[in-house]
Amino acid sequence: MLHPSKPKILVVNDDSGSLIALTSLLVDWVQQNDCEMVTASSGQQALREVLKHDFAVILLDVNMPGMDGFETAQAIHSRERSSSVPIIFVTAFLADEMDRLKGYQHGAADYLFTPIIPQILQAKVSVFVALAKKNMELHDQTQTLRQRTAELISSNKRLESEMNQRKLAVKQNKAKDEFLAMLGHELRNPLSAITSAAALIAMEGISDEAFGRAKLILDRQTRHLTRIVDDLLDLGRVMSGKILLERKQVDFGKLVENCADTMAAAGRMQSRTVNLHAESAWLDGDPARLEQIVTNLIDNALKYTPDGGTIDIDAGAVGEHVRLRIADNGVGIPPDLLPRVFDVFVQGDISLDRTKGGLGIGLALVKQLVELHGGTITAASAGNGKGSTFKVGFPCQTYVEPPPSVAHEDGPKPTYRVLLIEDNHDAREMMCAMLLAQGHTVYQASDGADGLIVAGMHRPELILIDIGLPGIDGYQVARELRANPDTREARLIALTGYGLETDRARALAAGFNVHLVKPIQLDELNAALH
């Protein structure tokens, strides 16, 4: 086996005697100089060897039948990888100047004439072998440098990533510290007003007017505290994925109109010009959460638009989307804040006076709720004092007239032949009892293998299968039931403790019709059965 890191010498001669004689002159020298020698008996064989190996030098017989030395040399040098391999022509007659020129034109680096003097042969070969060794050393050094460079680049990237993470952690800690300071400020202000109002009410001889003002302050400040707590709780629930939308058809234009009317009736829009244009546009969403989105955005515009300012509110359908645009000519958003305006705890005004108020979580909550509805939100501003614009988009929905309610007639429900495959004895016993109480014929099995046998014997119309069965699991049971002509038409219902969308998809792919998550309620089971 040839060693890839040793210089190789290719000796080409069609005469076996000459080939042996030539190689014998080099065999000891090759061993002493840690080289390897390869032989070829024709030009074609030499080309095959050149395709397989890289050579330090080639000793090539000029006078070969078929493809002679000149043609072989030309073919070797026409290939990019071997184009620079030095070739020493070996010939039995003394070449004149024209023959030498022809050889050099075909890529010859030198000539050797027979009879060959060993010392001259070894001297000429040693020059090219030494050059090849230097090239190998340079190649190895280059590879080492490349590896070191790659390691340094990787190390630099790792260090850069760590630095960025540290910077981000510092920013996050700073944001949290600022948030805690803001939270303390926002809680103390209403608590201070509530404490003072309560003390005023407790005083003797207080006038009716002062008593009434104190009651209004108590009412207003307790509602303010409630909003702060609700925002905190809602943001936590949304970010942890614990909010489930109660979706229904919603006329978004009407909803925006109602939100604006409610805020105007509460005196929130006084001393500002609010231009409202809302058209009917239907979407699939949670009305309470959509109101939260709209109210927060309008409240944000009011907060940062001074008295005498203008706020434009536009809502309606644009193509396949429901759009909301709220633009104001207020204080605007600084360029450095704009990319972070939807981040948690970020707020433009963090000065000591805190004239704008708020915790800086309103827009973060809005973004989370918008994305929960499959929508998008963007913010734009030309800078300080040039106002801001918020745009929201939701997938549009065609309004569908709800079906008229139909009174259900009481009567006997259909009964079926049902097979229950469940390995938990107590769960199987209780489920069988429920099914029998409703008039169904019930068969049961405690594992997948028995379930397949029972199904083949009784051919049930409905088969309830626990996914976590011993031996073969519920997915495999479903696949085998679908493959059997006697049971393939049965309705298969999966019973499992896993309720993610991926679990449902896997159950449907295995052949189940319905995927029920434990614990299973009676009405849920009946719906699946009927």
Side-chain angles (χ1 to χ4, degrees), residues 485-499:
D486 294 335
T487 56
R488 68 173 49 158
E489 300 301 324
R491 182 172 174 81
L492 305 185
I493 302 173
L495 309 176
T496 176
Y498 298 98

Side-chain angles (χ1 to χ4, degrees), residues 53 66 71 94 119 144 150 163 169 173-174 214 224 242 252 267 277 337-338 342 346 369 379 381 408-409 497:
H53 308 292
E71 292 171 331
L94 188 64
Q119 292 81 358
T144 302
M163 288 174 62
N173 286 334
K174 183 181 177 183
H224 179 55
K242 292 181 180 178
F252 188 68
H277 179 256
L337 178 65
L338 190 59
F342 295 110
V346 170
L369 290 174
S381 176
H408 295 282
E409 297 182 1

Side-chain angles (χ1 to χ4, degrees), residues 22-178:
L22 189 55
T23 55
S24 65
L25 296 176
L26 285 172
V27 65
D28 291 336
W29 184 91
V30 163
Q31 291 178 355
Q32 293 168 5
N33 289 272
D34 197 25
C35 300
E36 293 179 351
M37 190 159 46
V38 180
T39 60
S41 58
S42 67
Q44 290 86 350
Q45 187 179 353
L47 291 176
R48 286 194 292 271
E49 294 297 337
V50 169
L51 289 174
K52 292 189 290 184
H53 308 292
D54 293 325
F55 291 99
V57 63
I58 300 174
L59 300 173
L60 181 58
D61 182 29
V62 172
N63 300 309
M64 293 187 296
M67 179 183 287
D68 64 17
F70 296 131
E71 292 171 331
T72 303
Q74 187 174 13
I76 290 171
H77 283 168
S78 65
R79 178 173 170 263
E80 183 178 356
R81 184 173 172 180
S82 57
S83 60
S84 60
V85 177
I87 296 174
I88 299 175
F89 280 132
V90 180
T91 179
F93 61 91
L94 188 64
D96 59 21
E97 292 300 324
M98 293 306 296
D99 287 331
R100 288 175 182 269
L101 177 61
K102 182 180 179 182
Y104 293 134
Q105 287 175 340
H106 285 83
D110 205 344
Y111 268 90
L112 276 173
F113 301 99
T114 56
I116 294 172
I117 300 172
Q119 292 81 358
I120 294 177
L121 170 64
Q122 293 167 7
K124 290 188 175 185
V125 168
S126 66
V127 172
F128 299 112
V129 168
L131 182 61
K133 287 183 176 180
K134 288 293 183 184
N135 287 335
M136 286 180 176
E137 289 176 8
L138 288 173
H139 179 267
D140 291 342
Q141 291 172 1
T142 302
Q143 291 296 104
T144 302
L145 286 173
R146 284 177 180 171
Q147 185 177 350
R148 293 283 178 84
T149 303
E151 290 172 355
L152 286 172
I153 291 173
S154 176
S155 179
N156 286 339
K157 286 182 178 179
R158 188 166 57 253
L159 289 172
E160 187 176 342
S161 175
E162 290 175 359
M163 288 174 62
N164 290 335
Q165 288 174 1
R166 288 178 183 176
K167 288 179 182 177
L168 179 61
V170 170
K171 286 182 179 179
Q172 289 175 339
N173 286 334
K174 183 181 177 183
K176 288 176 182 177
D177 290 342
E178 290 173 353

Side-chain angles (χ1 to χ4, degrees), residues 369-445:
L369 290 174
V370 167
E371 292 179 349
L372 205 58
H373 281 83
T376 58
I377 183 169
T378 58
S381 176
N384 288 321
K386 297 183 179 179
S388 57
T389 301
F390 288 85
K391 294 180 181 179
V392 181
F394 297 105
C396 193
Q397 183 189 53
T398 304
Y399 175 70
V400 178
E401 190 73 34
S405 57
V406 178
H408 295 282
E409 297 182 1
D410 293 331
K413 292 182 172 61
T415 59
Y416 304 102
R417 297 189 310 279
V418 181
L419 168 60
L420 173 62
I421 309 175
E422 166 67 74
D423 65 313
N424 185 284
H425 175 78
D426 293 338
R428 187 173 67 252
E429 183 179 350
M430 290 298 99
M431 184 74 74
C432 285
M434 282 197 300
L435 293 168
L436 289 169
Q438 296 179 81
H440 301 294
T441 302
V442 182
Y443 309 99
Q444 54 181 299

Side-chain angles (χ1 to χ4, degrees), residues 330-343:
V331 300
I333 305 173
D336 61 324
L337 178 65
L338 190 59
R340 302 181 294 115
V341 74
F342 295 110
D343 291 350

